[in-house]
Amino acid sequence: MATKAKKNPRLASGRKRARQNVKLNAANTSLRSKYRTAVKNVEKAVVAGDKTKAAELFAKAQSVIDTIADKGIFHKNKAARDKSRLSAKVKALALAA
């Protein structure tokens, strides 16, 4: 079953809201993608066993995760959980030597 076609809003405020939603959706999608990439890069460095690179990438990933939580794209508890798990992986790598 095909998705319903969206109707054009009649009111000016509705049209404006539709325009804003398109911009916000694009911004949120971009940030979400940036988040996934940052997490993936840290995990790749951990798997490769590169301690210094993993620590460096983790520091960058932390700021991306915090930004996403501040903007409300992800819940703050999800952000904290993800940072905690990444941190544990990086620390385990450092202790493995």
Side-chain angles (χ1 to χ4, degrees):
M1 188 169 137
T3 57
K4 256 186 175 177
K6 297 215 175 175
K7 293 182 181 178
N8 283 337
R10 288 171 186 248
L11 299 177
S13 60
R15 289 195 297 268
K16 180 177 179 181
R17 175 49 71 190
R19 285 195 311 270
Q20 288 174 328
N21 285 342
V22 170
K23 288 181 186 175
L24 280 170
N25 192 334
N28 290 348
T29 303
S30 170
L31 276 172
R32 210 174 289 116
S33 172
K34 194 177 192 179
Y35 158 84
R36 289 191 193 116
T37 304
V39 169
K40 187 170 54 178
N41 287 340
V42 174
E43 288 176 344
K44 277 184 185 174
V46 168
V47 169
D50 192 346
K51 293 174 210 164
T52 53
K53 190 172 183 184
E56 179 187 313
L57 288 171
F58 175 66
K60 288 180 184 174
Q62 267 184 308
S63 78
V64 172
I65 293 170
D66 286 335
T67 302
I68 281 217
D70 289 342
K71 291 182 184 290
I73 297 171
F74 288 158
H75 194 276
K76 62 185 174 67
N77 289 0
K78 175 183 167 38
R81 183 175 66 239
D82 289 347
K83 285 196 300 186
S84 174
R85 287 178 183 169
L86 279 179
S87 175
K89 287 179 185 178
V90 172
K91 283 181 184 172
L93 181 66
L95 295 174

